Amino acid sequence: QPPEVPYCNYKLVTNELEIHSLTAELESLKNPQGLGLSSHLDGLREENAKLKYRLNVLKRSLQEERSQCSKTMMNINQRLQEIFGEAIREACPDLENPPLAVTPNQQAKFGDYQCNSAMAMAQMMKSKGLKVNPRQIAENIQQNIPDNELIEKTEIAGPGFINVHLKRSFVSKLLTNLLLNGVQPPSLESKKKVVVDFSSPNIAKEMHVGHLRSTIIGDSMCRLFEFLGYDVLRLNHVGDWGTQFGMLIAHLQDKFPNYLTVSPPIGDLQAFYKESKKRFDEEEDFKKRAYQCVVKLQSKDPAFIKGWNLICDVSRNEFQKVYNCLDIQIIERGESFYQEKMTAVVKEFEAKGLVEMDEGRKIVFAPGQQIPLTVVKSDGGYTYDTSDLAALRHRLFDEKADIIIYVTDSGQGTHFQVVFAAAQMIGWYDPNVTRVEHAGFGVVLGEDKKKFKTRSGDTVRLMDLLDEGLKRSMEKLKEKDRDKVLSTEDLTKAQRSVAFGCIKYADLSHNRINDYVFSFDKMLDDRGNTAAYLLYAFTRIRSIARLANIDEAALRKAAETTEVLLEHDKEWKLGKCLLRFPEILQKILDDLLLHTLCDYLYELATTFTEFYDSCYCIEKDRQTGRVVKVNMWRMLLCDATAAIMAKGFDILGINPVSRM
């Protein structure tokens, strides 16, 4: 054994080599005639059985070694799928792509997980003319479950459900691993490059609630990918080019003629935009001059580029106020970035004979799509279709992205579907290799169930919305007398945490595909599945160790020396719930629906409350209130719950505070 190889890694390698060797030997024994040993079949069968037993023991040992060597959290569901996948292949070797369904059990009396593959397999066999009882299939699967580190026992119920009971000792080991190493992501097969296109407001226009949804959802997706170990590029594809800039620059020249030497005081860009739009609609001379300004801008005239930059900078400063409140990190790469690249894209489509002429326009029809893309307008200008194709091409070939996610409202779904189809048609990417996806979302409604607007019918300014959130959260904290026990600094931290956390959570806790009703009263309610409830629950859990005078060093020592016992039903329920975290993250990775994480955190908080109400962690003297006994393994369960909740909050972009 070379000294530089850690012992645990060395054992893994040697075990894996022996498994390969035994597997090869088993394969050779399957064909005894080829070996000229047909007369010794009984002996071979006995040898085969011994080898299989040895192989299973080694595989089990290997899994245990891996779990001890690895600091990452095990995805129990995934591991059970591996185990049942192997059992199904052994039980039905002739069945091609048999269904594999393993889910957590909803009722504790039936065990912890359930494999429901037998019924679907029976249906597959029936379609091939084979009539097999699903319960018989379940029994065959059960008999072929390999030796493993995870399953205590299995039971067959009903028409063919296989109920799975986990080993409490192994679950306890996984919890100790979590406590010693922190909340680590499951191991990653390969580090992929991810591009997330989100937020994307238009320069010179106010950010509205639609941008709020895109910003919150996109940021949370980025946080998930980053936690899992992917290389993430957060892109803000702002609308910073096009006809409206001619209009804005023409108005800038009239209102602030010395803008090249003296920075113009454009405080309210929204009002400035409205003034220029009114002139554009009503004054023919102004309209002509605006179009001339567009030509000058597109030809990169320095004076017009200066005006364009001034307007963009004012907008950026306004956007940044929102991003600062919501703790959003994002790189701006607007439509202007792709201007030079659009000509090459059009030429590429033309060179492959994919462009058609239609009344002076150049259009592209993608297979299976009803609507064409307009890549060049009849006046020779480019469109959103052209810039989105150029952006997608750049992300695929220059950024070398493996995953590209667009977070915009669902109304743009058809547009992106056509863009993606055109990119596949020209051979830019294979959807089986590269994941390119539109993550659409519904609109924000007011409490009247109509589109969210101010009383006067205007779009709600995001900064006004965030300021209102701060005002309401302070009222809520004072209602709970938090201003009497918290310092001014802690009170301000709690105010921001509750305000912005509630706004984010209210959005993320709804299925993004659906519309949702924006209500400060509901989001600030500390009952039910809200950020307010979860933040208070988290603060309460964190305070338990403080009440028992146990510091982090003592908890660390306990994690190293104390077994986490899971004898009480509520301890067991909480322990299993904590270890489902990797499964939840995997599901969101697959479907990009973040409300699953919110539902999980709410379930974890309520499961913890059940545990805390039934299992004493700290025993106090009734007269003096002094702590007389501390149950350390239960304190460790409190610590593990706080750690998982904190990581969940981090992925959602919510910043909890230690005192509230």
Side-chain angles (χ1 to χ4, degrees), residues 91-112:
C92 302
D94 299 328
L95 201 60
E96 200 175 326
N97 294 323
L100 182 57
V102 179
T103 55
N105 239 329
Q106 298 305 309
Q107 295 184 58
K109 64 181 179 181
F110 295 128
D112 307 310

PDB file of all heavy atoms in Angstrom, residues 91-112:
ATOM      1  N   ALA A  91     -34.243 -10.509 -11.533  1.00  0.00           N
ATOM      2  CA  ALA A  91     -35.544 -11.187 -11.488  1.00  0.00           C
ATOM      3  C   ALA A  91     -36.144 -11.361 -12.879  1.00  0.00           C
ATOM      4  O   ALA A  91     -36.765 -12.387 -13.175  1.00  0.00           O
ATOM      5  CB  ALA A  91     -36.510 -10.394 -10.602  1.00  0.00           C
ATOM      6  N   CYS A  92     -35.971 -10.354 -13.733  1.00  0.00           N
ATOM      7  CA  CYS A  92     -36.559 -10.389 -15.089  1.00  0.00           C
ATOM      8  C   CYS A  92     -35.510  -9.982 -16.117  1.00  0.00           C
ATOM      9  O   CYS A  92     -35.586  -8.876 -16.687  1.00  0.00           O
ATOM     10  CB  CYS A  92     -37.766  -9.461 -15.167  1.00  0.00           C
ATOM     11  SG  CYS A  92     -39.050  -9.841 -13.978  1.00  0.00           S
ATOM     12  N   PRO A  93     -34.524 -10.841 -16.377  1.00  0.00           N
ATOM     13  CA  PRO A  93     -33.420 -10.453 -17.266  1.00  0.00           C
ATOM     14  C   PRO A  93     -33.847 -10.195 -18.713  1.00  0.00           C
ATOM     15  O   PRO A  93     -33.165  -9.487 -19.445  1.00  0.00           O
ATOM     16  CB  PRO A  93     -32.452 -11.646 -17.190  1.00  0.00           C
ATOM     17  CG  PRO A  93     -33.282 -12.783 -16.693  1.00  0.00           C
ATOM     18  CD  PRO A  93     -34.357 -12.203 -15.848  1.00  0.00           C
ATOM     19  N   ASP A  94     -35.009 -10.749 -19.116  1.00  0.00           N
ATOM     20  CA  ASP A  94     -35.441 -10.602 -20.514  1.00  0.00           C
ATOM     21  C   ASP A  94     -36.282  -9.344 -20.744  1.00  0.00           C
ATOM     22  O   ASP A  94     -36.614  -9.034 -21.892  1.00  0.00           O
ATOM     23  CB  ASP A  94     -36.253 -11.831 -20.950  1.00  0.00           C
ATOM     24  CG  ASP A  94     -35.424 -13.108 -20.864  1.00  0.00           C
ATOM     25  OD1 ASP A  94     -34.194 -13.015 -21.079  1.00  0.00           O
ATOM     26  OD2 ASP A  94     -36.003 -14.170 -20.564  1.00  0.00           O
ATOM     27  N   LEU A  95     -36.639  -8.666 -19.685  1.00  0.00           N
ATOM     28  CA  LEU A  95     -37.502  -7.476 -19.822  1.00  0.00           C
ATOM     29  C   LEU A  95     -36.638  -6.252 -20.133  1.00  0.00           C
ATOM     30  O   LEU A  95     -35.761  -5.884 -19.355  1.00  0.00           O
ATOM     31  CB  LEU A  95     -38.293  -7.261 -18.531  1.00  0.00           C
ATOM     32  CG  LEU A  95     -39.569  -6.412 -18.639  1.00  0.00           C
ATOM     33  CD1 LEU A  95     -40.562  -7.033 -19.605  1.00  0.00           C
ATOM     34  CD2 LEU A  95     -40.211  -6.255 -17.265  1.00  0.00           C
ATOM     35  N   GLU A  96     -36.899  -5.630 -21.278  1.00  0.00           N
ATOM     36  CA  GLU A  96     -36.088  -4.485 -21.713  1.00  0.00           C
ATOM     37  C   GLU A  96     -36.580  -3.190 -21.072  1.00  0.00           C
ATOM     38  O   GLU A  96     -37.773  -2.904 -21.072  1.00  0.00           O
ATOM     39  CB  GLU A  96     -36.156  -4.354 -23.241  1.00  0.00           C
ATOM     40  CG  GLU A  96     -34.998  -3.547 -23.799  1.00  0.00           C
ATOM     41  CD  GLU A  96     -35.006  -3.532 -25.328  1.00  0.00           C
ATOM     42  OE1 GLU A  96     -35.417  -4.546 -25.922  1.00  0.00           O
ATOM     43  OE2 GLU A  96     -34.606  -2.513 -25.895  1.00  0.00           O
ATOM     44  N   ASN A  97     -35.673  -2.418 -20.503  1.00  0.00           N
ATOM     45  CA  ASN A  97     -35.990  -1.144 -19.826  1.00  0.00           C
ATOM     46  C   ASN A  97     -37.172  -1.255 -18.862  1.00  0.00           C
ATOM     47  O   ASN A  97     -38.180  -0.577 -19.007  1.00  0.00           O
ATOM     48  CB  ASN A  97     -36.288  -0.035 -20.853  1.00  0.00           C
ATOM     49  CG  ASN A  97     -35.066   0.297 -21.666  1.00  0.00           C
ATOM     50  OD1 ASN A  97     -33.953   0.307 -21.175  1.00  0.00           O
ATOM     51  ND2 ASN A  97     -35.284   0.575 -22.953  1.00  0.00           N
ATOM     52  N   PRO A  98     -37.076  -2.155 -17.865  1.00  0.00           N
ATOM     53  CA  PRO A  98     -38.193  -2.291 -16.919  1.00  0.00           C
ATOM     54  C   PRO A  98     -38.363  -1.008 -16.104  1.00  0.00           C
ATOM     55  O   PRO A  98     -37.390  -0.307 -15.813  1.00  0.00           O
ATOM     56  CB  PRO A  98     -37.757  -3.454 -16.019  1.00  0.00           C
ATOM     57  CG  PRO A  98     -36.271  -3.481 -16.132  1.00  0.00           C
ATOM     58  CD  PRO A  98     -35.934  -3.001 -17.504  1.00  0.00           C
ATOM     59  N   PRO A  99     -39.600  -0.670 -15.737  1.00  0.00           N
ATOM     60  CA  PRO A  99     -39.831   0.558 -14.965  1.00  0.00           C
ATOM     61  C   PRO A  99     -39.246   0.444 -13.562  1.00  0.00           C
ATOM     62  O   PRO A  99     -39.288  -0.618 -12.943  1.00  0.00           O
ATOM     63  CB  PRO A  99     -41.359   0.672 -14.911  1.00  0.00           C
ATOM     64  CG  PRO A  99     -41.860  -0.712 -15.153  1.00  0.00           C
ATOM     65  CD  PRO A  99     -40.849  -1.393 -16.014  1.00  0.00           C
ATOM     66  N   LEU A 100     -38.692   1.561 -13.078  1.00  0.00           N
ATOM     67  CA  LEU A 100     -38.083   1.587 -11.753  1.00  0.00           C
ATOM     68  C   LEU A 100     -38.735   2.710 -10.954  1.00  0.00           C
ATOM     69  O   LEU A 100     -38.535   3.886 -11.240  1.00  0.00           O
ATOM     70  CB  LEU A 100     -36.571   1.820 -11.886  1.00  0.00           C
ATOM     71  CG  LEU A 100     -35.734   1.825 -10.609  1.00  0.00           C
ATOM     72  CD1 LEU A 100     -35.893   0.526  -9.839  1.00  0.00           C
ATOM     73  CD2 LEU A 100     -34.264   2.042 -10.945  1.00  0.00           C
ATOM     74  N   ALA A 101     -39.578   2.345 -10.004  1.00  0.00           N
ATOM     75  CA  ALA A 101     -40.306   3.357  -9.228  1.00  0.00           C
ATOM     76  C   ALA A 101     -40.073   3.133  -7.738  1.00  0.00           C
ATOM     77  O   ALA A 101     -40.550   2.154  -7.159  1.00  0.00           O
ATOM     78  CB  ALA A 101     -41.797   3.281  -9.552  1.00  0.00           C
ATOM     79  N   VAL A 102     -39.294   4.038  -7.120  1.00  0.00           N
ATOM     80  CA  VAL A 102     -39.042   3.985  -5.670  1.00  0.00           C
ATOM     81  C   VAL A 102     -39.419   5.339  -5.091  1.00  0.00           C
ATOM     82  O   VAL A 102     -38.920   6.370  -5.544  1.00  0.00           O
ATOM     83  CB  VAL A 102     -37.567   3.667  -5.348  1.00  0.00           C
ATOM     84  CG1 VAL A 102     -37.341   3.646  -3.840  1.00  0.00           C
ATOM     85  CG2 VAL A 102     -37.145   2.336  -5.969  1.00  0.00           C
ATOM     86  N   THR A 103     -40.325   5.334  -4.113  1.00  0.00           N
ATOM     87  CA  THR A 103     -40.775   6.599  -3.513  1.00  0.00           C
ATOM     88  C   THR A 103     -40.832   6.477  -1.989  1.00  0.00           C
ATOM     89  O   THR A 103     -40.971   5.370  -1.462  1.00  0.00           O
ATOM     90  CB  THR A 103     -42.193   6.973  -4.008  1.00  0.00           C
ATOM     91  OG1 THR A 103     -43.078   5.876  -3.738  1.00  0.00           O
ATOM     92  CG2 THR A 103     -42.208   7.274  -5.498  1.00  0.00           C
ATOM     93  N   PRO A 104     -40.717   7.602  -1.273  1.00  0.00           N
ATOM     94  CA  PRO A 104     -40.897   7.547   0.182  1.00  0.00           C
ATOM     95  C   PRO A 104     -42.322   7.095   0.503  1.00  0.00           C
ATOM     96  O   PRO A 104     -43.269   7.454  -0.198  1.00  0.00           O
ATOM     97  CB  PRO A 104     -40.683   9.003   0.631  1.00  0.00           C
ATOM     98  CG  PRO A 104     -39.957   9.664  -0.491  1.00  0.00           C
ATOM     99  CD  PRO A 104     -40.407   8.976  -1.736  1.00  0.00           C
ATOM    100  N   ASN A 105     -42.466   6.315   1.549  1.00  0.00           N
ATOM    101  CA  ASN A 105     -43.788   5.854   1.963  1.00  0.00           C
ATOM    102  C   ASN A 105     -44.520   6.973   2.692  1.00  0.00           C
ATOM    103  O   ASN A 105     -43.937   7.650   3.552  1.00  0.00           O
ATOM    104  CB  ASN A 105     -43.664   4.636   2.886  1.00  0.00           C
ATOM    105  CG  ASN A 105     -44.394   3.434   2.331  1.00  0.00           C
ATOM    106  OD1 ASN A 105     -45.401   3.580   1.646  1.00  0.00           O
ATOM    107  ND2 ASN A 105     -43.888   2.249   2.610  1.00  0.00           N
ATOM    108  N   GLN A 106     -45.781   7.162   2.355  1.00  0.00           N
ATOM    109  CA  GLN A 106     -46.559   8.233   2.994  1.00  0.00           C
ATOM    110  C   GLN A 106     -47.017   7.845   4.402  1.00  0.00           C
ATOM    111  O   GLN A 106     -47.237   8.706   5.238  1.00  0.00           O
ATOM    112  CB  GLN A 106     -47.778   8.588   2.125  1.00  0.00           C
ATOM    113  CG  GLN A 106     -47.419   9.118   0.732  1.00  0.00           C
ATOM    114  CD  GLN A 106     -46.478  10.310   0.777  1.00  0.00           C
ATOM    115  OE1 GLN A 106     -46.728  11.287   1.481  1.00  0.00           O
ATOM    116  NE2 GLN A 106     -45.370  10.225   0.043  1.00  0.00           N
ATOM    117  N   GLN A 107     -47.182   6.548   4.639  1.00  0.00           N
ATOM    118  CA  GLN A 107     -47.632   6.088   5.957  1.00  0.00           C
ATOM    119  C   GLN A 107     -46.543   5.254   6.615  1.00  0.00           C
ATOM    120  O   GLN A 107     -46.112   4.233   6.069  1.00  0.00           O
ATOM    121  CB  GLN A 107     -48.913   5.266   5.821  1.00  0.00           C
ATOM    122  CG  GLN A 107     -50.098   6.094   5.300  1.00  0.00           C
ATOM    123  CD  GLN A 107     -51.370   5.270   5.268  1.00  0.00           C
ATOM    124  OE1 GLN A 107     -51.814   4.751   6.290  1.00  0.00           O
ATOM    125  NE2 GLN A 107     -51.958   5.131   4.086  1.00  0.00           N
ATOM    126  N   ALA A 108     -46.122   5.685   7.807  1.00  0.00           N
ATOM    127  CA  ALA A 108     -44.993   5.050   8.504  1.00  0.00           C
ATOM    128  C   ALA A 108     -45.230   3.571   8.779  1.00  0.00           C
ATOM    129  O   ALA A 108     -44.290   2.771   8.781  1.00  0.00           O
ATOM    130  CB  ALA A 108     -44.722   5.791   9.812  1.00  0.00           C
ATOM    131  N   LYS A 109     -46.507   3.183   8.980  1.00  0.00           N
ATOM    132  CA  LYS A 109     -46.783   1.777   9.326  1.00  0.00           C
ATOM    133  C   LYS A 109     -46.411   0.819   8.184  1.00  0.00           C
ATOM    134  O   LYS A 109     -46.250  -0.379   8.392  1.00  0.00           O
ATOM    135  CB  LYS A 109     -48.250   1.603   9.723  1.00  0.00           C
ATOM    136  CG  LYS A 109     -49.252   1.894   8.623  1.00  0.00           C
ATOM    137  CD  LYS A 109     -50.687   1.709   9.124  1.00  0.00           C
ATOM    138  CE  LYS A 109     -51.689   2.037   8.007  1.00  0.00           C
ATOM    139  NZ  LYS A 109     -53.076   1.883   8.470  1.00  0.00           N
ATOM    140  N   PHE A 110     -46.309   1.357   6.960  1.00  0.00           N
ATOM    141  CA  PHE A 110     -45.951   0.515   5.817  1.00  0.00           C
ATOM    142  C   PHE A 110     -44.456   0.551   5.507  1.00  0.00           C
ATOM    143  O   PHE A 110     -44.016   0.043   4.469  1.00  0.00           O
ATOM    144  CB  PHE A 110     -46.734   0.946   4.570  1.00  0.00           C
ATOM    145  CG  PHE A 110     -48.220   0.738   4.692  1.00  0.00           C
ATOM    146  CD1 PHE A 110     -49.095   1.778   4.420  1.00  0.00           C
ATOM    147  CD2 PHE A 110     -48.742  -0.482   5.095  1.00  0.00           C
ATOM    148  CE1 PHE A 110     -50.468   1.593   4.542  1.00  0.00           C
ATOM    149  CE2 PHE A 110     -50.107  -0.677   5.220  1.00  0.00           C
ATOM    150  CZ  PHE A 110     -50.976   0.366   4.946  1.00  0.00           C
ATOM    151  N   GLY A 111     -43.664   1.174   6.382  1.00  0.00           N
ATOM    152  CA  GLY A 111     -42.227   1.241   6.133  1.00  0.00           C
ATOM    153  C   GLY A 111     -41.795   2.632   5.708  1.00  0.00           C
ATOM    154  O   GLY A 111     -42.558   3.599   5.793  1.00  0.00           O
ATOM    155  N   ASP A 112     -40.570   2.715   5.212  1.00  0.00           N
ATOM    156  CA  ASP A 112     -39.965   4.021   4.934  1.00  0.00           C
ATOM    157  C   ASP A 112     -40.006   4.390   3.448  1.00  0.00           C
ATOM    158  O   ASP A 112     -40.232   5.544   3.100  1.00  0.00           O
ATOM    159  CB  ASP A 112     -38.514   4.002   5.430  1.00  0.00           C
ATOM    160  CG  ASP A 112     -38.439   3.563   6.885  1.00  0.00           C
ATOM    161  OD1 ASP A 112     -39.185   4.136   7.695  1.00  0.00           O
ATOM    162  OD2 ASP A 112     -37.671   2.636   7.202  1.00  0.00           O
TER     163      ASP A 112
END
